[in-house]
Amino acid sequence: MELRVLKYFLTIAREESISGAAQVLHLSQPTLSRQIKDMEDELGKQLLIRGTRKVSLTEEGMILRKRAEEILDLVEKTESEITVSDETVSGDIYIGTGETDSLRVILKAAKKLKEAYPDIHFHITSGDSVDISERLDKGLFDFCILMGHIDTNKYSYLNLPMKDVWGVLMPKDSYLAHKTYITPDDLFGLPLIFSRQSLKDRSLEVWFKTDYSKLNIAATYNLLYNASLMVDEGIGYAICYDKIINVTGNSDLCFRPLKPRLEAGMSIVWKKYQIFSKAGEKFLDILKETL
């Protein structure tokens, strides 16, 4: 497969039309159709379902779209790192992270680096640990913030000094809102909203002193903002970290920590033996100084 043809394929997927993609790419429609047909023949799979008004992707086409986006992102990132001038420190730094207040210490280091080298640009992407570690492994991220145990066979890391505190996000008019802390007994039987990532971690099971199957898990979330909307609409109580959702001022929500207190340590990680760009090296130096 050629990178050029992958770009053609992604344009068709975006435009949902071969003729529309041909106009964007300044190619004739027959030429573009032939290029895609040759790629389908090479892979031995149909990638497009050609309708009368638009085209859609087959299951194999959807897989290729995801991989093609990753491949082209990596190519663009590599070109940017290689072509940067030897005399200047500039470029892009890509960081993957979950929702955590611990990100603040990373952002302080990023601000310090930006003040010294204004041509360095940061790109922050949120996701759960599985998503962001997968992208780190593929070279799409330079650094990731991960919770808990770190696979030291794959990654180098620095521990972050802050710890996230687990608690419950609930409406201010909840009968539990008058409590200073929330215990396991307070939550049994109530509809609970867990992050998908937390369900893969046993720390909350240990805190509840029972397995997740015994709890009333009403919903799951990936981003806490969405969970806060579910709480606001009365779907349940969100088990989450503190300081991510603003519960001050006119907010209808409040946060109460768990008791016994439960905290989560965070680390910033990068691939072992990673060869960084100049920008990445400078950032790592500042992180080491800061942490």
Side-chain angles (χ1 to χ4, degrees), residues 172-192:
K172 279 183 177 176
D173 59 2
S174 166
Y175 74 95
L176 290 179
H178 74 281
K179 297 176 66 71
T180 305
Y181 301 98
I182 303 299
T183 68
D185 288 341
D186 293 328
L187 298 176
F188 281 121
L190 295 180
L192 304 178

Side-chain angles (χ1 to χ4, degrees), residues 64-225:
L64 179 61
R65 179 179 187 170
K66 179 183 178 183
R67 298 305 181 204
E69 288 171 344
E70 293 173 349
I71 290 167
L72 294 175
D73 283 347
L74 185 56
V75 168
E76 183 180 341
K77 182 173 181 289
T78 304
E79 289 176 345
S80 175
E81 291 173 354
I82 291 175
T83 58
V84 67
S85 169
D86 291 336
E87 287 76 35
T88 61
V89 178
S90 62
D92 300 282
I93 296 174
Y94 295 84
I95 301 173
T97 179
E99 293 181 296
T100 169
D101 192 59
S102 299
L103 180 62
R104 289 183 181 275
V105 70
I106 305 301
L107 298 180
K108 284 180 170 58
K111 180 184 177 184
K112 186 176 179 181
L113 188 64
K114 282 284 290 180
E115 289 171 349
Y117 304 102
D119 291 330
I120 291 178
H121 305 284
F122 288 87
H123 307 276
I124 310 292
T125 301
S126 295
D128 61 31
S129 61
V130 175
D131 295 333
I132 62 176
S133 57
E134 182 180 299
R135 299 196 74 182
L136 177 65
D137 293 343
K138 292 176 179 176
L140 298 171
F141 290 148
D142 300 302
F143 302 92
C144 283
I145 298 176
L146 296 178
M147 175 184 71
H149 173 73
I150 303 300
D151 185 350
T152 55
N153 292 319
K154 292 173 62 177
Y155 305 122
S156 298
Y157 68 97
L158 293 169
N159 289 324
L160 302 184
M162 306 157 66
K163 291 185 182 294
D164 283 329
V165 176
W166 282 102
V168 182
L169 188 68
M170 67 184 82
K172 279 183 177 176
D173 59 2
S174 166
Y175 74 95
L176 290 179
H178 74 281
K179 297 176 66 71
T180 305
Y181 301 98
I182 303 299
T183 68
D185 288 341
D186 293 328
L187 298 176
F188 281 121
L190 295 180
L192 304 178
I193 305 170
F194 279 77
S195 72
R196 290 185 300 175
Q197 182 174 335
S198 67
L199 292 176
K200 299 173 184 175
D201 178 17
R202 291 202 64 247
S203 59
L204 282 170
E205 274 189 329
V206 172
W207 183 84
F208 274 103
K209 298 180 181 178
T210 188
D211 58 67
Y212 292 128
S213 64
K214 303 290 180 56
L215 302 176
N216 179 12
I217 300 178
T220 63
Y221 65 89
N222 184 27
L223 297 176
L224 186 53
Y225 175 75

Side-chain angles (χ1 to χ4, degrees), residues 1-13 17-19 21-22 25 27-50 55-58 61 64 68:
M1 284 184 291
E2 298 181 30
L3 294 177
R4 170 178 52 85
V5 182
L6 286 179
K7 291 178 182 178
Y8 292 170
F9 173 75
L10 288 179
T11 304
I12 294 172
S17 165
I18 293 178
S19 60
L25 295 167
L27 295 172
S28 68
Q29 184 172 336
T31 298
L32 182 57
S33 295
R34 185 171 63 254
Q35 294 277 357
I36 299 303
K37 184 64 170 64
D38 289 345
M39 184 166 66
E40 288 179 320
D41 291 342
E42 178 185 351
L43 295 172
K45 296 289 184 180
Q46 182 181 350
L47 302 172
L48 302 176
I49 300 172
R50 296 158 175 82
V55 298
S56 56
L57 300 180
T58 63
L64 179 61

